[in-house]
Structures are given as C-alpha cells and as structure tokens.
Amino acid sequence: MQSLFAFKGTESDDFKKDENFLFNSIDKMSDLYLSIMALLIELQKKANSKLELSQKKILATEEDINPNRKFADNAVLEFISSNTMLKEIIEKRKLNFWDLDFEYVDIIFKSILESDLYKEYMAQGASSLKEDKDFMVDVFSEIIAPNDKLYDYFEDKQITWVDDLPVVNTAIIRKFNKLKLTKPETFLIPELFKDSDDKVFAKDLLYKTLLNSSKLSEEIAKKTTNWDAERLASLDGILLKMALCEFQKFPSIPVKVTINEYLEIAKEYSTPKSSTFINGILDKVVKEYKAQNIHNKIGRGLM
C-alpha cells in the first residue's frame, strides 16, 4: 500500500526502484522491532543499576540491602537480555540508540515504577513464568506501546516506523505470550516473512497491481459512478485496486480473506467512512464475478 501510494510512474516503467522501496520499508520494520528489544534490555539494566545503587547507600535500610528483585529478574526480560544472538544483531545494525537517548529509558522506567501494575506485581511475592509473561504483556500494552514521547521519538528516527508500530507492537506481545524458557535464541530474531512464498507474494502483488493499474481503475470507475472522484484518487482507490488484483490474479486467496484484510487496513489508515465504501464496492464486484462465473478461486469454498 505504501509503495503504491508513493508510485508516480506509469505501467510501462521499470518497477525495480519501487520493489526496492517495498523491501527496504519491510527491513525498516525489522529495525524497529530490534530497537524496541534493545529498549527492553536497557530497562532491565536500569532496574539492576537502581538496585545496586540502593545497596551502596551509606544509610541503607533493610529494604535497600535486600531489595525486591522481581522486576529486575522478570523471566521475560531475562530471556531477552541473555539472548546473545539478539544482542549481536542489534549491535551489528547499530540499533541501540538508548545509550545516547537514555532519557527515553528513564521516562519509560519511571512510568512503570509509578504504575499500579508494577506495585501489584511487586507485592505478590515469587512469580511463575506465566505471571511474568502476563505482567510484561500488560506493561508493554498499557505503558510502553502507548507512550506519546516514545511514539514521537520513533517518528523522528524513521518516518515509516509510525505505520509499522502497530504491527511490531502486536508481534512483540505475541512473542511474550508464546515464550518458553526452552525456546532457542532464534525465537526472538525477527522473521519478516513466514516463508519464501510470502516475499514472492509481496513482490507479485506490487507488480501485478502496477501492471494492471489502468484496467483496475476502469473497473472501479464503473462501480463508483455516484462517488466523489477525490475518494478514488485517495488511499481508498489504491486499496480497491489491490483487492481487485487479489480477486483476479491470486486464485488461491479466498475472497473473504481479501475483503477482511482491506477493510482492516482501511479502518487503520483511511477515513472513517472508507471501510463502508470499500466493503460496498467489493461486495458488488464479487456478486458480478459470481454471476458471470469469472475469476473463480482454486479449492473448495474459496469463492
């Protein structure tokens, strides 16, 4: 969608630069994931550093000498921080900005310490892996991911990260939920594609949408005579082209899957009325294809 939105050429162009833009933006998503992992590593370092300083106080209390290490020893944070492979990749790609921009670590750390989530967690005594995972899911969902200052920081670092944040944040939460202490180090390494077919699909969807842009636009225009032309020139028009391209050029993708995907994208990135508009047009297209018995899907129950 981003690549097509940025496209300024014609159907006769060489699309290599657009392909490069597509895969470069996907690589940047991986960088964002690794940067957040680096932040989590720094948060654990901050927790340990705070405990060490407390123990060195001249007038240390019993609590300072024998502190509650629950957060510092959280199994999820420990699993991330002890992952040698992950840390090597972060260092190699120069994605640990937090040594220089330590104030953001401080902001997140302070927000965690002041939260009711933290106070309740620390008061419960020894915890199981599940409790540690649940705590980190809640902390990430309610404190780290929605932090406005962190959001602005990532936007300044890399403009495309703003769009990538929801996907990356969801992926991290899934990692937390699936984590087992027996998982190999590769478990935390980001996988941008499920398999080689995923990467081929991304490239094919880009190329086939671009190569058939005029025909797709004509077909959409016939179904949208009562709609404002500006709407079709916006992101909604691009999403409709992509959906029709999947209907026509990807016979193994079920129609319902295509429709649901583009409705979700429209809700996330376009106007409040976009999902209703797109749903109406796609429903009309599907009924027409069925009536004409064209663009049928491969496999049982796919159309």
Side-chain angles (χ1 to χ4, degrees):
M1 182 192 72
Q2 288 176 330
S3 299
L4 291 167
F5 190 73
F7 181 71
K8 303 299 181 186
T10 68
E11 291 174 350
S12 61
D13 286 352
D14 179 2
F15 301 140
K16 196 65 184 176
K17 70 179 189 309
D18 303 288
E19 180 188 336
N20 290 339
F21 176 86
L22 170 65
F23 289 117
N24 182 61
S25 66
I26 293 173
D27 284 340
K28 293 297 182 184
M29 187 184 298
S30 174
D31 287 348
L32 175 59
Y33 169 92
L34 292 167
S35 299
I36 295 174
M37 284 293 167
L39 172 62
L40 295 173
I41 292 171
E42 293 304 316
L43 284 173
Q44 194 201 33
K45 285 183 184 177
K46 182 81 177 174
N48 279 308
S49 176
K50 181 176 180 294
L51 295 178
E52 289 170 8
L53 288 173
S54 295
Q55 289 176 316
K56 292 177 182 178
K57 286 181 181 178
I58 296 174
L59 299 174
T61 65
E62 177 61 28
E63 186 178 351
D64 291 329
I65 297 170
N66 297 297
N68 186 343
R69 295 193 52 85
K70 249 192 110 166
F71 179 61
D73 292 343
N74 178 277
V76 176
L77 289 177
E78 185 62 31
F79 187 85
I80 295 170
S81 297
S82 62
N83 191 306
T84 305
M85 185 182 295
L86 178 70
K87 290 192 288 189
E88 285 176 353
I89 294 173
I90 290 170
E91 183 177 354
K92 183 178 180 180
R93 295 172 74 160
K94 297 182 170 65
L95 293 170
N96 190 352
F97 324 113
W98 310 111
D99 285 343
L100 293 175
D101 299 325
F102 60 87
E103 65 268 27
Y104 293 94
V105 180
D106 293 343
I107 289 168
I108 298 297
F109 187 68
K110 184 180 179 183
S111 297
I112 293 171
L113 295 191
E114 292 176 349
S115 70
D116 290 336
L117 278 173
Y118 176 84
K119 292 168 186 173
E120 291 171 8
Y121 173 73
M122 297 298 282
Q124 289 173 358
S127 55
S128 65
L129 174 60
K130 183 181 184 307
E131 289 167 335
D132 280 356
K133 286 162 57 174
D134 290 345
F135 170 72
M136 285 307 301
V137 167
D138 290 341
V139 163
F140 193 85
S141 303
E142 298 179 27
I143 298 174
I144 299 176
N147 187 275
D148 289 336
K149 290 182 179 179
L150 190 61
Y151 179 94
D152 292 340
Y153 173 79
F154 283 136
E155 184 178 25
D156 290 340
K157 274 287 181 184
Q158 179 68 39
I159 188 63
T160 59
W161 279 357
V162 175
D163 291 326
D164 296 336
L165 267 170
V167 177
V168 171
N169 287 339
T170 300
I172 289 173
I173 288 172
R174 285 176 179 166
K175 289 287 186 185
F176 289 169
N177 282 322
K178 292 181 180 178
L179 187 145
K180 295 180 181 177
L181 299 183
T182 54
K183 291 278 188 182
E185 285 197 328
T186 52
F187 174 73
L188 289 177
I189 308 305
E191 295 179 355
L192 293 173
F193 303 99
K194 183 175 67 176
D195 51 39
S196 59
D197 289 344
D198 267 7
K199 188 170 184 177
V200 171
F201 168 72
K203 178 181 175 181
D204 284 351
L205 181 59
L206 175 68
Y207 273 69
K208 289 179 180 180
T209 305
L210 289 172
L211 288 168
N212 294 279
S213 181
S214 297
K215 290 181 180 179
L216 294 170
S217 293
E218 289 173 10
E219 184 170 354
I220 293 166
K222 292 176 184 178
K223 308 289 189 302
T224 55
T225 53
N226 297 324
W227 288 90
D228 188 342
E230 287 186 6
R231 180 173 285 282
L232 294 177
S234 70
L235 201 57
D236 293 354
I238 290 171
L239 295 175
L240 282 171
K241 283 184 183 180
M242 294 173 71
L244 263 62
C245 185
E246 284 192 19
F247 286 167
Q248 298 176 10
K249 308 297 181 182
F250 297 85
S252 64
I253 300 178
V255 166
K256 286 184 179 180
V257 171
T258 294
I259 293 174
N260 289 338
E261 288 288 346
Y262 287 101
L263 291 182
E264 288 301 313
I265 294 172
K267 289 175 186 176
E268 184 71 33
Y269 294 104
S270 203
T271 69
K273 295 181 179 179
S274 292
S275 60
T276 302
F277 167 70
I278 289 172
N279 189 47
I281 302 304
L282 295 182
D283 184 61
K284 190 184 296 185
V285 169
V286 169
K287 287 178 180 177
E288 184 178 290
Y289 288 172
K290 284 184 178 180
Q292 297 177 10
N293 197 30
I294 58 174
H295 303 307
N296 293 321
K297 298 295 184 174
I298 297 170
R300 295 178 61 186
L302 289 186
M303 186 64 184

